[in-house]
Amino acid sequence: TVGLMTDIILDKTLQLPQGITQTMSECFAAPLNLTTIIFSTHSPVELHVYDSANRHLGSTGDGDIELNIPESDYEQIGENSFAFVPAGEKYRVVTDATGSGSVDIKVRLFKGTQSAGTLTYLVVPLESASTTAEFAFENLTQDASLKLDNDGDGTFDTIVAPTAVLTGGESTDIAPPLITIASPQSRDYLRSELLPIEVAASDAGAGVAFLATELGGKLIENSTTTDLFFEHLGTHRVTTEAYDRAGNPAVAEVSFRVIATPESAIADIERALALGWITKKSVAKDLIQNLKAAIKIEKKIEILEEKPPGKP
């Protein structure tokens, strides 16, 4: 499997092991006249599906999987869970959080191997490991609101509408959004500067559903200005995450440095004095005079370094 993944990444000619195929029609056991529903979760949650007879499909909590729904299947890949069930039933879908964060839930309908529709709930908040979520699903035309029990006390606290209900070409969208970070750029910025954060995303398929940007792990507005005076010197990273309405994710990031020069340090001292961080004007004056003296010495050094070798 590792060798196959390596060949895919390196764009080599693939030698497929037995049981692995690139033909979509061979990935589904269902005949072309049968519609299949795939429920999937992408986050730290356990996925459970119950049919109208309350038969269970999903984890038992001890590492085993129950496949009590006829003609069903269940797969887990890391924190991603996939439940495959036949259509024609009304299902109750439940997720149990295993940690805080957020969850993406997708419902995809297939008529044979052809996509017949997609329902998504994206970036649904999980307050704690006690958070549960539940919704009923039979088809795309019904009300499929997601009910959240934030603290696990058995009472639903929040109703979440689907992010998107997609049919036709939109439901077949597998291309992630395109993220553009216009600012900051990968370069040095003075600590005395105001740094514009300019981030955008576009998606030619289902359209953009979610866009979030972080600076140093802190969530910020996608179009805002950051005062670098309040940031530490050194390397910083802007990370942007986007989802389209079909649930395809994309991530982009750029790193930049915050630096100081004698001139920017003078501006910082004046700012600190205005904010009351430096309480005595005489202290600020002495600091600025010392920095100006350092600037003069620095310029003399630059002139000396420009003298041709062998000359006084």
Side-chain angles (χ1 to χ4, degrees):
T1 302
V2 174
L4 177 60
M5 294 172 65
T6 302
D7 290 344
I8 292 173
I9 293 171
L10 298 178
D11 200 24
K12 292 184 177 180
T13 301
L14 301 182
Q15 300 295 326
L16 299 179
Q18 184 176 1
I20 297 179
T21 178
Q22 290 180 288
T23 304
M24 179 69 81
S25 61
E26 296 179 16
C27 295
F28 294 86
L32 290 178
N33 63 347
L34 178 65
T35 300
T36 302
I37 302 173
I38 304 176
F39 300 105
S40 65
T41 56
H42 310 272
S43 78
V45 300
E46 291 183 351
L47 171 64
H48 305 275
V49 180
Y50 301 87
D51 66 6
S52 58
N54 207 36
R55 290 174 292 195
H56 176 242
L57 171 64
S59 172
T60 60
D62 57 4
D64 291 334
I65 300 296
E66 284 187 341
L67 302 175
N68 294 335
I69 297 177
E71 301 180 53
S72 67
D73 198 2
Y74 192 95
E75 297 288 343
Q76 284 184 304
I77 305 174
E79 291 186 341
N80 305 295
S81 300
F82 302 86
F84 302 78
V85 295
E89 271 273 9
K90 185 173 184 178
Y91 294 100
R92 182 169 64 93
V93 182
V94 179
T95 65
D96 293 328
T98 58
S100 60
S102 65
V103 60
D104 299 329
I105 304 173
K106 302 178 186 178
V107 183
R108 300 192 68 187
L109 279 70
F110 286 89
K111 190 172 184 62
T113 62
Q114 302 299 315
S115 176
T118 301
L119 171 72
T120 59
Y121 307 88
L122 302 179
V123 199
V124 178
L126 302 174
E127 289 192 2
S128 70
S130 300
T131 301
T132 64
E134 179 178 323
F135 68 98
F137 184 84
E138 185 174 8
N139 54 59
L140 292 178
T141 61
Q142 70 175 65
D143 177 18
S145 296
L146 181 70
K147 296 177 288 187
L148 277 179
D149 177 1
N150 295 320
D151 51 14
D153 64 354
T155 301
F156 294 117
D157 306 297
T158 309
I159 303 297
V160 179
T163 302
V165 179
L166 306 174
T167 57
E170 289 185 338
S171 68
T172 64
D173 181 11
I174 59 172
L178 175 64
I179 299 174
T180 302
I181 302 178
S183 179
Q185 300 176 0
S186 182
R187 65 176 181 86
D188 292 343
Y189 292 88
L190 294 176
R191 191 168 179 266
S192 56
E193 289 188 62
L194 296 176
L195 176 65
I197 306 296
E198 298 177 4
V199 177
S202 60
D203 186 82
V208 176
F210 172 81
L211 179 65
T213 301
E214 292 184 350
L215 172 58
K218 297 179 294 184
L219 193 65
I220 60 175
E221 297 293 333
N222 296 313
S223 296
T224 187
T225 300
T226 296
D227 191 343
L228 295 182
F229 176 79
F230 297 102
E231 301 294 337
H232 64 79
L233 296 176
T235 301
H236 294 259
R237 181 176 291 108
V238 168
T239 303
T240 299
E241 182 180 26
Y243 286 83
D244 65 16
R245 296 170 68 242
N248 300 306
V251 176
E253 64 179 29
V254 63
S255 296
F256 64 94
R257 285 199 316 164
V258 177
I259 64 170
T261 64
E263 290 83 0
S264 72
I266 289 175
D268 288 343
I269 292 169
E270 292 172 342
R271 183 82 177 275
L273 180 63
L275 290 171
W277 296 1
I278 299 177
T279 57
K280 294 183 179 181
K281 290 184 178 180
S282 59
V283 172
K285 183 178 179 181
D286 289 344
L287 290 171
I288 291 172
Q289 286 178 345
N290 290 335
L291 282 167
K292 287 182 177 179
I295 292 172
K296 290 180 181 179
I297 294 172
E298 186 180 55
K299 288 181 178 179
K300 289 180 180 180
I301 292 173
E302 290 175 356
I303 292 171
L304 290 172
E305 289 177 341
E306 291 174 359
K307 293 289 186 181
K311 296 290 183 69

Short mmCIF file of all heavy atoms in Angstrom, two decimals, residues 55-99:
data_model
loop_
_atom_site.label_atom_id
_atom_site.label_comp_id
_atom_site.label_asym_id
_atom_site.label_seq_id
_atom_site.Cartn_x
_atom_site.Cartn_y
_atom_site.Cartn_z
N ARG A 55 -32.15 -1.26 13.77
CA ARG A 55 -30.94 -2.05 13.62
C ARG A 55 -29.75 -1.11 13.44
O ARG A 55 -29.85 -0.09 12.79
CB ARG A 55 -31.09 -3.00 12.42
CG ARG A 55 -32.09 -4.11 12.67
CD ARG A 55 -32.35 -4.95 11.45
NE ARG A 55 -33.06 -4.19 10.42
CZ ARG A 55 -33.68 -4.74 9.37
NH1 ARG A 55 -33.66 -6.06 9.22
NH2 ARG A 55 -34.30 -3.99 8.49
N HIS A 56 -28.63 -1.50 14.04
CA HIS A 56 -27.48 -0.60 14.20
C HIS A 56 -26.37 -0.91 13.21
O HIS A 56 -26.04 -2.08 12.96
CB HIS A 56 -26.93 -0.69 15.63
CG HIS A 56 -25.69 0.12 15.85
ND1 HIS A 56 -24.49 -0.45 16.21
CD2 HIS A 56 -25.47 1.46 15.76
CE1 HIS A 56 -23.57 0.51 16.35
NE2 HIS A 56 -24.13 1.66 16.08
N LEU A 57 -25.79 0.16 12.66
CA LEU A 57 -24.59 0.07 11.84
C LEU A 57 -23.58 1.05 12.41
O LEU A 57 -23.83 2.25 12.51
CB LEU A 57 -24.91 0.45 10.38
CG LEU A 57 -23.71 0.61 9.42
CD1 LEU A 57 -22.97 -0.71 9.24
CD2 LEU A 57 -24.18 1.16 8.07
N GLY A 58 -22.40 0.53 12.83
CA GLY A 58 -21.38 1.41 13.37
C GLY A 58 -20.57 0.76 14.46
O GLY A 58 -20.66 -0.45 14.70
N SER A 59 -19.77 1.59 15.13
CA SER A 59 -18.87 1.10 16.16
C SER A 59 -19.62 0.69 17.41
O SER A 59 -20.63 1.30 17.78
CB SER A 59 -17.84 2.18 16.51
OG SER A 59 -17.07 1.80 17.62
N THR A 60 -19.12 -0.35 18.09
CA THR A 60 -19.70 -0.79 19.36
C THR A 60 -19.00 -0.14 20.54
O THR A 60 -19.40 -0.34 21.68
CB THR A 60 -19.60 -2.31 19.50
OG1 THR A 60 -18.20 -2.69 19.46
CG2 THR A 60 -20.34 -3.01 18.38
N GLY A 61 -17.94 0.63 20.29
CA GLY A 61 -17.21 1.29 21.35
C GLY A 61 -16.04 0.51 21.89
O GLY A 61 -15.21 1.04 22.63
N ASP A 62 -15.95 -0.78 21.54
CA ASP A 62 -14.85 -1.61 22.02
C ASP A 62 -13.95 -2.06 20.88
O ASP A 62 -13.20 -3.03 21.00
CB ASP A 62 -15.38 -2.82 22.78
CG ASP A 62 -16.34 -3.67 21.94
OD1 ASP A 62 -16.53 -3.35 20.75
OD2 ASP A 62 -16.90 -4.64 22.48
N GLY A 63 -14.04 -1.34 19.75
CA GLY A 63 -13.19 -1.67 18.60
C GLY A 63 -13.87 -2.51 17.55
O GLY A 63 -13.33 -2.69 16.45
N ASP A 64 -15.04 -3.08 17.86
CA ASP A 64 -15.78 -3.90 16.90
C ASP A 64 -16.77 -3.03 16.12
O ASP A 64 -17.12 -1.93 16.52
CB ASP A 64 -16.53 -5.02 17.61
CG ASP A 64 -15.59 -6.07 18.18
OD1 ASP A 64 -14.48 -6.21 17.63
OD2 ASP A 64 -15.97 -6.72 19.17
N ILE A 65 -17.23 -3.58 14.98
CA ILE A 65 -18.21 -2.90 14.13
C ILE A 65 -19.44 -3.79 13.99
O ILE A 65 -19.32 -4.98 13.70
CB ILE A 65 -17.63 -2.60 12.73
CG1 ILE A 65 -16.40 -1.70 12.84
CG2 ILE A 65 -18.68 -1.95 11.84
CD1 ILE A 65 -16.65 -0.33 13.39
N GLU A 66 -20.63 -3.21 14.21
CA GLU A 66 -21.87 -3.94 13.99
C GLU A 66 -22.39 -3.62 12.60
O GLU A 66 -22.46 -2.46 12.21
CB GLU A 66 -22.93 -3.54 15.03
CG GLU A 66 -22.71 -4.16 16.39
CD GLU A 66 -23.84 -3.90 17.35
OE1 GLU A 66 -24.64 -2.95 17.09
OE2 GLU A 66 -23.95 -4.61 18.36
N LEU A 67 -22.77 -4.67 11.88
CA LEU A 67 -23.34 -4.52 10.53
C LEU A 67 -24.74 -5.13 10.53
O LEU A 67 -25.04 -6.02 9.72
CB LEU A 67 -22.44 -5.22 9.50
CG LEU A 67 -20.98 -4.73 9.42
CD1 LEU A 67 -20.19 -5.61 8.45
CD2 LEU A 67 -20.93 -3.28 8.97
N ASN A 68 -25.59 -4.64 11.41
CA ASN A 68 -26.91 -5.25 11.57
C ASN A 68 -27.92 -4.83 10.51
O ASN A 68 -28.95 -5.47 10.37
CB ASN A 68 -27.47 -4.92 12.96
CG ASN A 68 -26.65 -5.57 14.08
OD1 ASN A 68 -25.99 -6.59 13.86
ND2 ASN A 68 -26.66 -4.96 15.26
N ILE A 69 -27.65 -3.73 9.79
CA ILE A 69 -28.54 -3.31 8.72
C ILE A 69 -28.23 -4.15 7.48
O ILE A 69 -27.07 -4.22 7.05
CB ILE A 69 -28.36 -1.82 8.40
CG1 ILE A 69 -28.75 -0.98 9.63
CG2 ILE A 69 -29.18 -1.40 7.19
CD1 ILE A 69 -28.54 0.52 9.44
N PRO A 70 -29.22 -4.81 6.88
CA PRO A 70 -28.96 -5.65 5.70
C PRO A 70 -28.35 -4.84 4.55
O PRO A 70 -28.69 -3.67 4.35
CB PRO A 70 -30.36 -6.17 5.33
CG PRO A 70 -31.14 -6.09 6.60
CD PRO A 70 -30.63 -4.89 7.33
N GLU A 71 -27.45 -5.48 3.82
CA GLU A 71 -26.79 -4.91 2.65
C GLU A 71 -26.01 -3.63 2.99
O GLU A 71 -25.88 -2.73 2.15
CB GLU A 71 -27.80 -4.61 1.53
CG GLU A 71 -28.57 -5.84 1.06
CD GLU A 71 -29.56 -5.48 -0.04
OE1 GLU A 71 -29.15 -4.85 -1.04
OE2 GLU A 71 -30.74 -5.82 0.12
N SER A 72 -25.50 -3.53 4.20
CA SER A 72 -24.76 -2.35 4.62
C SER A 72 -23.27 -2.67 4.74
O SER A 72 -22.86 -3.83 4.75
CB SER A 72 -25.28 -1.84 5.96
OG SER A 72 -25.00 -2.78 7.00
N ASP A 73 -22.49 -1.61 4.87
CA ASP A 73 -21.05 -1.77 5.09
C ASP A 73 -20.57 -0.55 5.86
O ASP A 73 -21.24 0.50 5.90
CB ASP A 73 -20.31 -1.89 3.76
CG ASP A 73 -18.91 -2.48 3.94
OD1 ASP A 73 -18.55 -2.83 5.07
OD2 ASP A 73 -18.18 -2.57 2.93
N TYR A 74 -19.40 -0.68 6.46
CA TYR A 74 -18.87 0.39 7.32
C TYR A 74 -17.36 0.38 7.23
O TYR A 74 -16.72 -0.68 7.30
CB TYR A 74 -19.32 0.15 8.77
CG TYR A 74 -19.11 1.32 9.71
CD1 TYR A 74 -20.13 2.23 9.95
CD2 TYR A 74 -17.89 1.50 10.38
CE1 TYR A 74 -19.96 3.29 10.84
CE2 TYR A 74 -17.71 2.56 11.26
CZ TYR A 74 -18.75 3.45 11.49
OH TYR A 74 -18.59 4.50 12.35
N GLU A 75 -16.77 1.57 7.06
CA GLU A 75 -15.31 1.68 6.97
C GLU A 75 -14.84 2.83 7.85
O GLU A 75 -15.52 3.86 7.96
CB GLU A 75 -14.87 1.93 5.53
CG GLU A 75 -15.18 0.82 4.56
CD GLU A 75 -14.32 -0.41 4.76
OE1 GLU A 75 -13.27 -0.28 5.44
OE2 GLU A 75 -14.69 -1.49 4.25
N GLN A 76 -13.68 2.66 8.47
CA GLN A 76 -13.04 3.72 9.23
C GLN A 76 -11.62 3.90 8.73
O GLN A 76 -10.86 2.94 8.61
CB GLN A 76 -13.02 3.39 10.73
CG GLN A 76 -14.35 3.57 11.43
CD GLN A 76 -14.25 3.33 12.93
OE1 GLN A 76 -13.81 2.28 13.35
NE2 GLN A 76 -14.65 4.31 13.71
N ILE A 77 -11.26 5.16 8.42
CA ILE A 77 -9.91 5.51 8.00
C ILE A 77 -9.48 6.69 8.85
O ILE A 77 -9.88 7.83 8.60
CB ILE A 77 -9.84 5.87 6.50
CG1 ILE A 77 -10.41 4.73 5.65
CG2 ILE A 77 -8.41 6.19 6.08
CD1 ILE A 77 -10.51 5.05 4.17
N GLY A 78 -8.69 6.42 9.87
CA GLY A 78 -8.31 7.49 10.80
C GLY A 78 -9.54 8.03 11.51
O GLY A 78 -10.31 7.28 12.11
N GLU A 79 -9.75 9.34 11.43
CA GLU A 79 -10.91 9.97 12.04
C GLU A 79 -12.06 10.10 11.05
O GLU A 79 -13.03 10.82 11.30
CB GLU A 79 -10.55 11.36 12.59
CG GLU A 79 -9.63 11.31 13.80
CD GLU A 79 -9.41 12.67 14.42
OE1 GLU A 79 -9.66 13.68 13.73
OE2 GLU A 79 -8.99 12.73 15.59
N ASN A 80 -11.98 9.41 9.92
CA ASN A 80 -13.03 9.44 8.90
C ASN A 80 -13.81 8.14 8.94
O ASN A 80 -13.22 7.05 8.88
CB ASN A 80 -12.42 9.64 7.51
CG ASN A 80 -11.55 10.88 7.44
OD1 ASN A 80 -12.03 11.99 7.60
ND2 ASN A 80 -10.26 10.69 7.24
N SER A 81 -15.14 8.24 9.03
CA SER A 81 -16.00 7.06 9.06
C SER A 81 -16.98 7.11 7.90
O SER A 81 -17.50 8.18 7.55
CB SER A 81 -16.78 7.00 10.38
OG SER A 81 -15.90 6.92 11.48
N PHE A 82 -17.26 5.93 7.30
CA PHE A 82 -18.13 5.83 6.14
C PHE A 82 -19.13 4.70 6.37
O PHE A 82 -18.73 3.56 6.65
CB PHE A 82 -17.33 5.56 4.87
CG PHE A 82 -16.27 6.59 4.57
CD1 PHE A 82 -15.01 6.49 5.15
CD2 PHE A 82 -16.54 7.67 3.74
CE1 PHE A 82 -14.03 7.43 4.90
CE2 PHE A 82 -15.57 8.62 3.48
CZ PHE A 82 -14.31 8.50 4.07
N ALA A 83 -20.43 5.02 6.25
CA ALA A 83 -21.48 4.02 6.40
C ALA A 83 -22.23 3.90 5.08
O ALA A 83 -22.74 4.91 4.56
CB ALA A 83 -22.43 4.41 7.53
N PHE A 84 -22.30 2.69 4.51
CA PHE A 84 -22.94 2.43 3.22
C PHE A 84 -24.24 1.67 3.49
O PHE A 84 -24.23 0.59 4.09
CB PHE A 84 -22.04 1.58 2.33
CG PHE A 84 -20.68 2.18 2.06
CD1 PHE A 84 -19.68 2.12 3.02
CD2 PHE A 84 -20.41 2.80 0.86
CE1 PHE A 84 -18.42 2.66 2.78
CE2 PHE A 84 -19.16 3.35 0.60
CZ PHE A 84 -18.17 3.28 1.57
N VAL A 85 -25.36 2.25 3.04
CA VAL A 85 -26.66 1.62 3.28
C VAL A 85 -27.50 1.70 2.01
O VAL A 85 -27.32 2.60 1.19
CB VAL A 85 -27.42 2.31 4.45
CG1 VAL A 85 -26.67 2.11 5.76
CG2 VAL A 85 -27.63 3.79 4.16
N PRO A 86 -28.45 0.77 1.85
CA PRO A 86 -29.36 0.84 0.69
C PRO A 86 -30.42 1.91 0.90
O PRO A 86 -30.81 2.22 2.02
CB PRO A 86 -29.98 -0.55 0.65
CG PRO A 86 -29.92 -1.03 2.06
CD PRO A 86 -28.67 -0.45 2.65
N ALA A 87 -30.88 2.50 -0.18
CA ALA A 87 -31.95 3.49 -0.11
C ALA A 87 -33.29 2.80 0.14
O ALA A 87 -33.39 1.58 0.17
CB ALA A 87 -32.00 4.31 -1.38
N GLY A 88 -34.34 3.63 0.30
CA GLY A 88 -35.67 3.08 0.52
C GLY A 88 -36.04 2.97 1.97
O GLY A 88 -37.14 2.52 2.31
N GLU A 89 -35.14 3.37 2.86
CA GLU A 89 -35.38 3.35 4.30
C GLU A 89 -35.28 4.76 4.85
O GLU A 89 -34.65 5.63 4.25
CB GLU A 89 -34.32 2.49 5.00
CG GLU A 89 -34.68 1.03 5.11
CD GLU A 89 -35.50 0.71 6.35
OE1 GLU A 89 -35.93 1.66 7.04
OE2 GLU A 89 -35.73 -0.48 6.63
N LYS A 90 -35.89 4.97 6.02
CA LYS A 90 -35.67 6.21 6.74
C LYS A 90 -34.67 5.91 7.85
O LYS A 90 -34.93 5.08 8.72
CB LYS A 90 -36.97 6.76 7.33
CG LYS A 90 -36.79 8.12 8.00
CD LYS A 90 -38.12 8.73 8.42
CE LYS A 90 -37.92 10.12 8.98
NZ LYS A 90 -39.21 10.77 9.37
N TYR A 91 -33.52 6.59 7.79
CA TYR A 91 -32.43 6.32 8.71
C TYR A 91 -32.31 7.41 9.76
O TYR A 91 -32.59 8.58 9.50
CB TYR A 91 -31.11 6.20 7.95
CG TYR A 91 -31.06 5.01 7.02
CD1 TYR A 91 -31.29 5.16 5.66
CD2 TYR A 91 -30.80 3.74 7.51
CE1 TYR A 91 -31.24 4.07 4.80
CE2 TYR A 91 -30.75 2.63 6.67
CZ TYR A 91 -30.98 2.80 5.31
OH TYR A 91 -30.94 1.73 4.47
N ARG A 92 -31.88 7.00 10.94
CA ARG A 92 -31.51 7.94 12.00
C ARG A 92 -30.00 7.89 12.15
O ARG A 92 -29.42 6.84 12.40
CB ARG A 92 -32.21 7.57 13.32
CG ARG A 92 -31.92 8.54 14.46
CD ARG A 92 -32.85 8.26 15.64
NE ARG A 92 -32.63 6.93 16.20
CZ ARG A 92 -31.80 6.67 17.22
NH1 ARG A 92 -31.12 7.67 17.80
NH2 ARG A 92 -31.67 5.45 17.68
N VAL A 93 -29.37 9.03 11.96
CA VAL A 93 -27.91 9.12 11.98
C VAL A 93 -27.49 9.85 13.25
O VAL A 93 -27.99 10.94 13.55
CB VAL A 93 -27.37 9.87 10.74
CG1 VAL A 93 -25.85 9.91 10.75
CG2 VAL A 93 -27.89 9.21 9.47
N VAL A 94 -26.57 9.26 14.01
CA VAL A 94 -26.12 9.81 15.29
C VAL A 94 -24.60 9.88 15.29
O VAL A 94 -23.92 8.95 14.84
CB VAL A 94 -26.60 8.93 16.47
CG1 VAL A 94 -26.09 9.51 17.80
CG2 VAL A 94 -28.11 8.81 16.47
N THR A 95 -24.06 10.98 15.80
CA THR A 95 -22.61 11.08 16.00
C THR A 95 -22.34 11.37 17.46
O THR A 95 -23.00 12.21 18.07
CB THR A 95 -21.98 12.19 15.13
OG1 THR A 95 -22.46 13.47 15.55
CG2 THR A 95 -22.30 11.98 13.66
N ASP A 96 -21.35 10.68 18.01
CA ASP A 96 -20.90 10.89 19.38
C ASP A 96 -19.48 11.44 19.33
O ASP A 96 -18.57 10.78 18.82
CB ASP A 96 -20.90 9.58 20.18
CG ASP A 96 -22.30 9.05 20.41
OD1 ASP A 96 -23.23 9.87 20.52
OD2 ASP A 96 -22.47 7.82 20.45
N ALA A 97 -19.28 12.65 19.85
CA ALA A 97 -17.96 13.27 19.81
C ALA A 97 -16.99 12.53 20.72
O ALA A 97 -17.36 12.01 21.78
CB ALA A 97 -18.06 14.74 20.24
N THR A 98 -15.74 12.46 20.29
CA THR A 98 -14.68 11.90 21.13
C THR A 98 -13.71 12.99 21.57
O THR A 98 -12.71 12.70 22.21
CB THR A 98 -13.91 10.82 20.36
OG1 THR A 98 -13.36 11.38 19.15
CG2 THR A 98 -14.83 9.67 19.98
N GLY A 99 -14.02 14.23 21.22
CA GLY A 99 -13.20 15.37 21.61
C GLY A 99 -13.86 16.65 21.13
O GLY A 99 -14.87 16.61 20.41
#
